[in-house]
Amino acid sequence: MIKKIFKWTGITLAGVAFIATCTYAYMSFSMKSRMSKPYVFEKETLTIPKDSASIARGKHLVAIKGCQDCHGNNLEGRVMNEDGAIGRLVASNLTKGKGGLPANYDVSDWIAALRHGVGRGGRPLLFMPSHETTLLSQQDMAALIAYCSRIPEVANVLPANDLGPVAVVMSYLGKMPLLSVEKIDHNRPMIARADSAEGVGQGKYLAVSCSGCHRENFKGGEPLAPGFPPVPDITSTGHVGKWSKEQFIATLTTGKTPEGHVLRNEDMPWKMTAQYTQTELSSLYQYLQSIR
Ligand code: HEC
Ligand code: HEC
């Protein structure tokens, strides 16, 4: 009798292991084919400004859009993660130094990456938040390209991306933003320019950068990855709803909430939000408070 139970448990376990292996093999195969699917978009261009105000605007955008959090302080590229579970995630060297972008990387290449989420030859970019940069206005996109294409060269040769099993499964389940090319509405025309006056309009434009973590409705949700804190609601129905504008600004510039909670920059990138101007933070506050 006991022997029989053991036998059946053994068979059941072997069956479960077999099904798990097949499911993983299927997910891995599916993700590999999605990652290697080439995309073709019509070449686009923009007039790139050369004046110092536009270049300063481009530099500000690099700071407030978190480009440096992933691509490094000098945009020289870096290995963002390397472990057995998630795998190796690498943000490109965006300079023209060794290991960086090719010397003839031009405006249409920048647009392909920032607006469509593809690299040269239509290769889908992995983990690059192009579904957010695609929402930049033409004016900002041009300023960003103007600044990025004149940053000093840094030699930094990087290894290739190599997804681990947790990243494969989470991406397959749509819990990790692996392929922004699949999420973008590629026919959506770019707006010419964004609201630059303080108010809800400017806040809404800026809040795109918060939606990746705080969700599209800014009501938060499950942790972004196992082992991370849950993501809070940052609308009027969350803590933010009880904060004054001054408290909101202090939180996003010091990383400490009015309740005394200390935000780790790795969880909530407050060193990025600290670089927003007072006007931009005030607009973000007004916009988030307007959401019921
Ligand atoms: C969440 C991390 C993250 C952020 C934030 C981010 N990037 Fe990236 N970016 C990546 C990764 C990872 C890649 C490499 C993708 C690949 O090779 O598949 C990449 C690729 C690129 C590429 C394509 C380069 C190539 O090799 O073809 C450009 C251009 C780029 N990023 C520009 C930017 C700019 C400008 C910003 C800020 C507005 C930015 N990125 C913000 C992660 C990020
Ligand atoms: C990379 C993901 C990420 C991005 C991008 C991000 N946040 Fe957060 N944010 C978090 C996480 C995670 C927490 C909770 C951290 C904790 O509990 O320690 C948090 C906490 C906060 C808090 C504190 C809320 C509370 O109830 O205490 C505020 C306010 C906030 N974020 C605002 C913003 C705004 C505004 C933006 C966009 C400009 C933004 N965040 C972008 C992940 C992010």
Side-chain angles (χ1 to χ4, degrees), residues 212-227:
C213 299
H214 291 278
R215 311 299 197 272
E216 305 266 306
N217 60 5
F218 306 103
K219 301 273 182 193
E222 291 168 26
L224 298 160

Side-chain angles (χ1 to χ4, degrees), residues 61-62 65-67 70-71 80 90-92 94 101 105 110 113-114 119-120 123-129 133 144 148 161:
L61 286 165
V62 163
K65 295 292 168 191
C67 313
C70 295
H71 290 278
M80 299 190 290
V90 186
S92 325
L94 300 180
L101 300 175
Y105 195 83
W110 280 104
L114 299 171
R120 276 244 168 123
R123 172 184 77 87
L125 295 174
L126 309 184
F127 287 112
M128 162 65 198
T133 49
L144 186 60
C148 288
N161 277 306

Side-chain angles (χ1 to χ4, degrees), residues 129-189:
S130 306
H131 54 288
E132 293 177 9
T133 49
T134 193
L135 299 173
L136 286 170
S137 68
Q138 264 177 13
Q139 194 184 28
D140 278 347
M141 180 80 76
L144 186 60
I145 297 173
Y147 174 73
C148 288
S149 36
R150 56 175 67 211
I151 47 174
E153 293 179 9
V154 182
N156 188 23
V157 181
L158 294 154
N161 277 306
D162 186 12
L163 296 198
V166 172
V168 168
V169 173
M170 288 188 61
S171 304
Y172 183 85
L173 299 175
K175 304 232 178 230
M176 219 180 219
L178 180 70
L179 291 163
S180 49
V181 67
E182 293 180 352
K183 290 208 263 175
I184 295 171
D185 172 1
H186 297 279
N187 297 318
R188 193 190 133 278

Side-chain angles (χ1 to χ4, degrees), residues 76-94:
E76 74 283 21
R78 65 184 194 94
V79 175
M80 299 190 290
N81 191 78
E82 178 136 45
D83 61 40
I86 306 273
R88 190 200 301 127
L89 306 183
V90 186
S92 325
N93 176 349
L94 300 180

Side-chain angles (χ1 to χ4, degrees), residues 213-286:
C213 299
H214 291 278
R215 311 299 197 272
E216 305 266 306
N217 60 5
F218 306 103
K219 301 273 182 193
E222 291 168 26
L224 298 160
F228 283 82
V231 189
D233 176 354
I234 53 169
T235 71
S236 66
T237 49
H239 282 142
V240 177
K242 296 185 208 84
W243 300 351
S244 67
K245 186 173 89 184
E246 288 65 34
Q247 287 176 317
F248 176 79
I249 294 179
T251 303
L252 295 190
T253 47
T254 64
K256 212 168 158 196
T257 74
E259 291 82 20
H261 179 58
V262 176
L263 302 166
R264 295 192 323 151
N265 189 57
E266 303 87 85
D267 299 329
M268 161 61 205
W270 66 266
K271 288 186 182 159
M272 168 187 94
T273 51
Q275 307 202 53
Y276 282 75
T277 64
Q278 296 286 306
T279 309
E280 287 169 336
L281 289 172
S282 177
S283 295
L284 267 173
Y285 177 75
Q286 290 176 37

